[in-house]
């Protein structure tokens, strides 16, 4: 079974693009855009930015796969800001993300980088005032960042018009093209102009997803950044084998023994998140938690406080597994091992951002040992037993 699975997925996507630039100046970007990039503190393009901004400028469809935390958001933010015409008030770039939290984060990057451009960006996500979104759309925006449900709703009601769209970007594309989102995505794609570029970004790009793209992409540039610049080597991975009833005590021991800047603890269910948060609070720990059943305003508050470092420990479902970028996160704990191997990569990528060091610690039930072995085999990395002496975990 594991072997078959490996065969199915192991055909890596081949890059078919070799052009790359050394510096942001090499891209002949608009002056105001360049100012925004430098103003944001980015002096040199990351590996994925060196290769994947050019296809935007050259009007090509693109599939880009690069490590978590390697600057993908910057790549498509810069690429799309370069090609939009800020004199026009029509929507020219539409960016979709699987969660509201990620859409919000992307929106923030557009606002920062586009600071010196005359560009209006709208965050179109569920759980927010529809009236406000409609008003903003009526006043004219050039860029919309959203989650598929609200975007489709606005499209169907004809408030959002895509006749001038130049680029559709799917962040965490493999997630967006899976069952839960696929029908919405097909509908959105059917509504974009034929000449609109489609660009897909993710750290994981399973082969089935890449084959699916044949149906709606036009001879895409494919860029696969291997783990040479920033990679999982920055993240040390450990496991502890334990019984279910030992998980909480083990977590408490880790708490005592580890130096945690900020940490995310992942559970596989909403109930698991709530229960763990409650147990930890009973033990006197300040933790916050997030999952999709919380009200939007609460979700936003939790993320805001975590990003600001007001709270140091976030207990979460896979809602924050993808894309969420909090630089200070030094530890990811898989309180429950994820069932999908792609999810594992995304979860642990929440630490070790942009070349920083991080530690991922997995709680493994005895019956999950095979799953752990198959992860190591599949991704060809090592997950070591957690040392008794926690001072060795740095
Ligand atoms: P991302 O992979 O898009 O989530 O980006 C990961 C982190 O890298 C974010 O904190 C970005 O602000 C940062 N980043 C992206 N591009 C650059 C760059 N060219 N120079 C420095 N930091 C960057």
């Amino acid at each position: 079974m594991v072997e078959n699975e490996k065969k199915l997925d192991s055909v890596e996507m081949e890059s078919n693009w070799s052009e790359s630039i050394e510096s942001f100046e090499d891209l002949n970007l608009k002056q105001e855009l360049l100012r925004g990039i430098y103003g944001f503190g980015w002096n040199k393009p990351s590996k994925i930015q060196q290769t994947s901004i050019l296809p935007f400028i050259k009007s090509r469809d693109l599939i880009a796969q690069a490590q978590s935390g390697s600057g993908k958001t910057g790549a498509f933010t810069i690429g799309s800001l370069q090609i939009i015409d800020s004199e026009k008030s029509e929507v020219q770039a539409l960016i979709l993300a699987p969660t509201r939290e990620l859409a919000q984060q992307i929106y923030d990057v557009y606002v920062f980088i586009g600071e010196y451009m005359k560009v209006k960006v709208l965050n179109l996500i569920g759980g927010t005032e529809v009236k406000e979104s409609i008003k903003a759309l009526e006043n004219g925006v050039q860029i919309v960042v959203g989650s598929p449900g609200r975007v489709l709703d606005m499209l169907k009601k004809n408030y959002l018009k895509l006749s001038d769209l130049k680029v559709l970007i799917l962040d965490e594309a493999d997630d967006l093209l899976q069952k839960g989102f696929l029908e919405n995505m097909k509908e959105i794609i059917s509504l974009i102009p034929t000449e609109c570029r489609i660009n897909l970004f993710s750290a994981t790009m399973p082969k089935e997803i890449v084959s699916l793209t044949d149906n709606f992409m036009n001879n895409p540039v494919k860029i696969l950044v291997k783990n040479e610049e920033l990679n999982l080597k920055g993240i040390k991975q450990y496991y502890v084998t334990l019984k279910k009833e030992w998980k909480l005590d083990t977590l408490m021991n880790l708490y005592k023994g580890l130096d945690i800047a900020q940490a995310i603890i992942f559970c596989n269910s909403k109930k698991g998140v709530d229960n763990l948060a409650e147990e930890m609070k009973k033990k006197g720990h300040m933790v916050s938690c997030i999952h999709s059943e919380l009200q939007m305003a609460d979700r936003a508050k939790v993320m805001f406080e975590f990003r600001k470092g007001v709270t140091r420990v976030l207990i979460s479902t896979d809602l924050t597994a993808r894309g969420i970028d909090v630089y200070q996160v030094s530890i990811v704990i898989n309180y429950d091992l994820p069932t999908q191997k792609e999810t594992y990569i995304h979860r642990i990528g929440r630490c070790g951002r942009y070349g920083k060091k991080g530690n991922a610690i997995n709680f493994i039930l005895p019956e999950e040992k095979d799953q752990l072995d198959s992860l190591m085999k599949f991704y060809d990395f090592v997950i070591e037993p957690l040392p008794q002496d926690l001072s060795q975990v740095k």
Side-chain angles (χ1 to χ4, degrees):
M1 168 67 199
V2 170
E3 269 310 303
N4 285 344
E5 216 178 86
K6 177 157 181 164
K7 264 185 212 138
L8 184 73
D9 267 2
S10 64
V11 185
E12 268 185 350
M13 189 175 77
E14 302 259 326
S15 292
N16 60 5
W17 180 264
S18 55
E19 260 183 272
S20 120
I21 45 104
E22 292 282 309
S23 73
F24 288 121
E25 273 87 5
D26 295 346
L27 287 162
N28 288 325
L29 298 174
K30 298 166 184 163
Q31 278 309 308
E32 316 82 68
L33 173 55
L34 204 54
R35 205 173 148 207
I37 297 169
Y38 289 139
F40 201 36
W42 295 354
N43 301 320
K44 190 181 175 301
S46 71
K47 197 87 181 169
I48 187 69
Q49 291 162 3
Q50 287 172 18
T51 51
S52 69
I53 299 176
L54 274 169
F56 276 82
I57 298 167
K58 298 195 172 183
S59 306
R60 295 285 307 270
D61 279 2
L62 166 69
I63 304 178
Q65 181 188 7
Q67 189 54 51
S68 231
S70 60
K72 288 189 287 293
T73 318
F76 65 73
T77 307
I78 297 168
S80 52
L81 282 170
Q82 174 63 17
I83 61 172
I84 60 153
D85 178 352
S86 49
E87 297 300 323
K88 281 186 162 180
S89 57
E90 286 81 11
V91 176
Q92 295 160 58
L94 172 61
I95 300 90
L96 295 170
T99 62
R100 297 163 185 179
E101 283 71 17
L102 186 53
Q104 175 71 49
Q105 183 178 289
I106 296 168
Y107 167 84
D108 291 341
V109 176
Y110 270 99
V111 171
F112 278 119
I113 304 239
E115 186 181 352
Y116 303 102
M117 298 176 71
K118 271 195 294 168
V119 60
K120 287 195 194 140
V121 191
L122 175 66
N123 196 11
L124 212 48
I125 52 177
T128 55
E129 273 291 332
V130 179
K131 268 192 268 164
E132 294 293 316
S133 305
I134 295 174
K135 203 164 127 202
L137 285 167
E138 283 172 349
N139 287 340
V141 295
Q142 292 97 357
I143 296 172
V144 171
V145 184
S147 48
R150 178 61 67 89
V151 165
L152 194 56
D153 184 43
M154 290 289 107
L155 271 171
K156 282 181 173 164
K157 292 181 176 148
N158 216 21
Y159 291 114
L160 173 61
K161 299 184 182 75
L162 299 181
S163 50
D164 287 80
L165 198 73
K166 289 185 172 166
V167 63
L168 170 67
I169 296 161
L170 309 191
D171 192 20
E172 304 299 339
D174 57 328
D175 201 23
L176 285 175
L177 294 170
Q178 279 187 45
K179 251 197 284 157
F181 290 113
L182 189 58
E183 289 313 309
N184 279 359
M185 293 313 307
K186 281 186 188 163
E187 222 171 324
I188 295 173
I189 290 169
S190 75
L191 295 170
I192 64 171
T194 38
E195 63 281 8
C196 174
R197 313 158 177 82
I198 300 182
N199 292 359
L200 314 185
F201 284 80
S202 184
T204 50
M205 216 48 103
K207 190 175 157 257
E208 315 83 90
I209 301 290
V210 178
S211 346
L212 186 73
T213 61
D214 290 346
N215 301 326
F216 59 89
M217 292 183 82
N218 178 17
N219 185 24
V221 165
K222 292 182 182 163
I223 296 174
L224 171 76
V225 173
K226 299 224 165 118
N227 303 339
E228 55 212 57
E229 187 196 27
L230 295 155
N231 52 35
L232 289 172
K233 277 184 202 144
I235 304 171
K236 281 279 246 177
Q237 302 175 67
Y238 299 102
Y239 73 90
V240 194
T241 312
L242 36 58
K243 288 189 177 158
K244 199 170 172 193
E245 53 275 25
W246 296 349
K247 283 190 178 185
L248 186 63
D249 287 341
T250 308
L251 185 62
M252 292 303 112
N253 287 337
L254 292 184
Y255 244 69
K256 277 187 233 140
L258 289 176
D259 180 17
I260 300 177
Q262 276 190 291
I264 304 184
I265 304 173
F266 284 105
C267 299
N268 287 354
S269 69
K270 296 168 202 162
K271 195 157 174 271
V273 166
D274 285 337
N275 289 346
L276 180 59
E278 207 179 300
E279 291 294 339
M280 290 190 70
K281 281 177 191 164
K282 267 195 230 158
K283 290 187 183 290
H285 294 289
M286 283 267 293
V287 293
S288 56
C289 69
I290 193 162
H291 54 65
S292 60
E293 255 162 40
L294 296 186
Q295 293 292 321
M296 190 54 205
D298 294 331
R299 275 164 65 168
K301 182 165 180 276
V302 166
M303 282 315 295
F304 179 80
E305 291 182 348
F306 190 61
R307 282 183 199 288
K308 291 271 167 225
V310 177
T311 46
R312 286 177 39 225
V313 176
L314 180 65
I315 305 174
S316 178
T317 54
D318 284 325
L319 184 74
T320 63
R322 283 175 176 256
I324 294 300
D325 177 50
V326 179
Y327 191 70
Q328 286 304 329
V329 173
S330 57
I331 295 191
V332 166
I333 296 175
N334 281 322
Y335 197 75
D336 302 319
L337 194 65
T339 47
Q340 269 198 328
K341 57 185 179 320
E342 283 86 8
T343 309
Y344 180 82
I345 293 292
H346 288 282
R347 279 187 186 182
I348 71 169
R350 292 320 97 218
C351 68
R353 307 293 296 162
Y354 209 73
K356 229 177 150 239
K357 285 204 170 128
N359 290 296
I361 301 175
N362 297 288
F363 286 6
I364 305 291
L365 302 175
E367 62 271 25
E368 290 172 331
K369 188 72 177 60
D370 285 353
Q371 211 182 319
L372 188 80
D373 289 341
S374 85
L375 265 177
M376 287 196 267
K377 208 165 160 192
F378 188 84
Y379 287 115
D380 196 19
F381 51 40
V382 180
I383 309 179
E384 295 171 23
L386 186 73
Q388 294 279 342
D389 175 5
L390 290 178
S391 67
Q392 289 174 24
V393 179
K394 294 205 178 93

